[in-house]
Amino acid sequence: MNNRLFLYITRKTQGLVYRLEVQPATSIRKISIKAVKSKLLTHKAYLITSEGKRIKILEFSKSSLLQNQQTAMSEDLNSRERISAIDIRAESMQSEADIEVTAYSDESRPALKVVRPAETSKPTPPPPPSQGHNNGRPDRYADVLSCRWNGSNNQPYNESRRFFIGKAARGFTYAENCDDNIRQARRAGGQLVCNWSGTNYVAYRTSDGVQVGRTDHGYSELEGCQKAIEDTANGLMCSWNGTGYSAYVISEGSRNVGKTGYGNSSYDVCAKNIKTATRGILCQWNGNNSQPYVIATNQGIGKTDYGYSQLSSCQQSLGTASRGFICNWTGEGYGRYSVRNPTEITSGVYKNIENCMNY
C-alpha cells in the first residue's frame, strides 16, 4: 500500500477531478481518503483499468462530507483487474484542503502520482466522434450526440447537424465526465443536454442548441440540471428563474408558464406540479395565489391574479378540463370559465368548488 498527499483541493461547486496514476498497474482491494486542514466533500470516485474501463467506488460517489482529519474507507472493491489510475472528484468546504489517499493492494506496493489536477493539466481529447454514443440504437430524438474537443475542453456535440451545444468553448475538463453527461441525456430521451454556461449548468435543446430557461440561470450543480432533464413532463421543464423555480416550455426555450419571475419556492414542488398539467393547462403562482394558465397562450383562466390559496386546490380544478371548463374564484364564488375563452364564465357562480365542478 502507498500514501499520497496532494494539496490544494479547491472550494468550487461540485469540486474538481483529480487523477492519481497507479505505478505499476495492479489490482486494488480498497482505498481510503483522509481530509487534512479543512472539511472535504467527495462527490465521485472511479478506478480506471489498464483497458480504460471505469469502476465506480460507491463509498465515495454519494457526496460524503469528511471532517478535518477524518478518514473514510471504500467498500471492498474485489477488483482483479489491473488498475492504472484513480479518479476522485472532491471539493474543500472551507479554505483550501489537503487530501491523503491510500491504496491497498494484495499484490504489490503501488506508487501514486498526481497526473492531472483539473486546474493545471489539459485532458486527452476524446475518441473520434465517428464512434458515436448511440451504439447503433436510435435515440428517441433523431439527433446523435457525442463529445468533441473544442480546443479548450470537451463539449457536447450534435453529430447529426454538426454543431457544439452550449456557449463557445464551454464544456467539461475531462472527456469521461462529458461522456457520462451524454449518456444521462440519452437515458432521458435525448431532447435536452446539460452544459456549463460559465456561471452555472443549464439545459440546452439538442436539436438547435437553444437554452431552456431564463438566460444564464440554471443549476449550481450538474446533477441538479440532469435531474431537471429527467423530470421533464408535458413539454415542460423546471429551472431557476432568479427567485424561484418556473415551468419553462421546452419548445419555446426561455418562455415560462405564468408571470415572469414567479414560480415555485422549491424544485420538488415545481417538478411535481408540471406532471399535473392537464389538457394544456398548468397551475402557477401569480404573486397572490395559484392560478390555472393555458400553456400555449400563457393566458390565465379567470380574472387577473385570481386563483387558489393552495396549489393542490388549483390542481384539483384541472379535473374538469376534459369537459371544457375550469373552475376559479371570482371574488364572490367559483365560476366555470371556458377553456377556449379563459375569461368567459359559461354558467353561474357557485358557493364552493365541489358544486362548481359538479362531480
Side-chain angles (χ1 to χ4, degrees):
M1 61 185 180
N2 182 269
N3 289 346
R4 175 69 187 186
L5 183 70
F6 57 101
L7 308 178
Y8 309 126
I9 301 298
T10 62
R11 184 171 187 177
K12 178 181 178 181
T13 302
Q14 284 300 294
L16 296 173
V17 176
Y18 295 82
R19 169 159 288 190
L20 281 71
E21 189 175 87
V22 180
Q23 299 175 336
T26 186
S27 64
I28 291 180
R29 178 167 50 85
K30 289 184 179 182
I31 70 168
S32 67
I33 292 177
K34 180 179 180 180
V36 183
K37 287 175 53 177
S38 176
K39 294 180 181 178
L40 185 76
L41 189 63
T42 61
H43 293 287
K44 291 183 179 179
Y46 293 89
L47 298 179
I48 313 298
T49 71
S50 298
E51 290 75 30
K53 178 182 175 182
R54 304 174 74 223
I55 302 173
K56 179 179 285 190
I57 303 173
L58 299 177
E59 181 62 31
F60 303 133
S61 297
K62 51 188 179 183
S63 295
S64 300
L65 179 65
L66 297 179
Q67 302 294 326
N68 184 21
Q69 299 300 317
Q70 181 181 357
T71 300
M73 182 72 71
S74 75
E75 68 275 16
D76 194 337
L77 300 169
N78 289 321
S79 176
R80 297 181 179 275
E81 300 182 72
R82 318 302 289 180
I83 303 303
S84 61
I86 303 170
D87 278 358
I88 299 173
R89 179 185 285 274
E91 70 176 293
S92 170
M93 299 306 292
Q94 294 172 328
S95 58
E96 291 177 338
D98 295 347
I99 183 172
E100 183 178 307
V101 179
T102 305
Y104 298 84
S105 173
D106 294 328
E107 292 185 7
S108 62
R109 185 181 178 87
L112 303 182
K113 177 184 177 182
V114 181
V115 293
R116 58 174 205 194
E119 64 268 39
T120 60
S121 300
K122 180 182 292 187
T124 302
S130 59
Q131 294 181 13
H133 288 264
N134 66 343
N135 297 319
R137 297 188 298 272
D139 292 332
R140 186 187 309 167
Y141 295 86
D143 298 306
V144 177
L145 307 178
S146 72
C147 287
R148 280 199 183 191
W149 180 251
N150 60 26
S152 300
N153 44 51
N154 300 277
Q155 187 167 355
Y157 189 82
N158 185 314
E159 292 290 344
S160 304
R161 310 188 193 201
R162 299 186 180 280
F163 66 87
F164 284 107
I165 300 172
K167 291 185 176 181
R170 298 292 186 185
F172 296 79
T173 304
Y174 299 114
E176 60 264 32
N177 294 341
C178 186
D179 289 343
D180 283 346
N181 184 52
I182 291 296
R183 281 189 283 269
Q184 186 279 336
R186 291 187 63 250
R187 285 194 297 269
Q191 184 184 21
L192 300 169
V193 67
C194 294
N195 197 14
W196 179 251
S197 70
T199 55
N200 44 46
Y201 291 97
V202 301
Y204 295 93
R205 290 202 304 250
T206 57
S207 60
D208 55 13
V210 171
Q211 179 187 338
V212 177
R214 183 180 174 184
T215 302
D216 290 333
H217 285 65
Y219 294 86
S220 60
E221 299 179 359
L222 175 61
E223 285 78 3
C225 179
Q226 291 174 334
K227 180 169 175 53
I229 289 177
E230 292 175 356
D231 290 340
T232 56
N234 298 305
L236 304 171
M237 190 197 83
C238 293
S239 187
W240 179 252
N241 62 28
T243 57
Y245 291 91
S246 288
Y248 287 87
V249 182
I250 295 173
S251 63
E252 298 184 44
S254 61
R255 206 264 284 177
N256 65 288
V257 181
K259 283 187 173 181
T260 300
Y262 288 88
N264 302 109
S265 59
S266 77
Y267 171 81
D268 288 342
V269 172
C270 182
K272 292 177 181 177
N273 186 44
I274 61 175
K275 290 179 172 61
T276 69
T278 304
R279 292 183 175 262
I281 301 172
L282 179 74
C283 291
Q284 282 289 82
W285 181 254
N286 59 28
N288 297 304
N289 42 54
S290 294
Q291 184 172 5
Y293 284 85
V294 178
I295 295 172
T297 61
N298 205 32
Q299 186 173 6
I301 294 179
K303 292 183 178 180
T304 301
D305 292 345
Y306 278 68
Y308 295 86
S309 60
Q310 299 294 323
L311 175 60
S312 58
S313 297
C314 182
Q315 292 169 339
Q316 178 187 355
S317 74
L318 304 185
T320 59
S322 62
R323 294 157 61 191
F325 70 89
I326 296 289
C327 293
N328 198 7
W329 180 249
T330 67
E332 299 176 350
Y334 293 91
R336 291 182 176 180
Y337 288 90
S338 169
V339 171
R340 292 187 177 182
N341 188 350
T343 61
E344 177 183 315
I345 294 180
T346 61
S347 62
V349 175
Y350 300 83
K351 291 183 178 181
N352 57 57
I353 187 174
E354 287 78 12
N355 288 340
C356 181
M357 295 181 71
N358 190 27
Y359 282 126

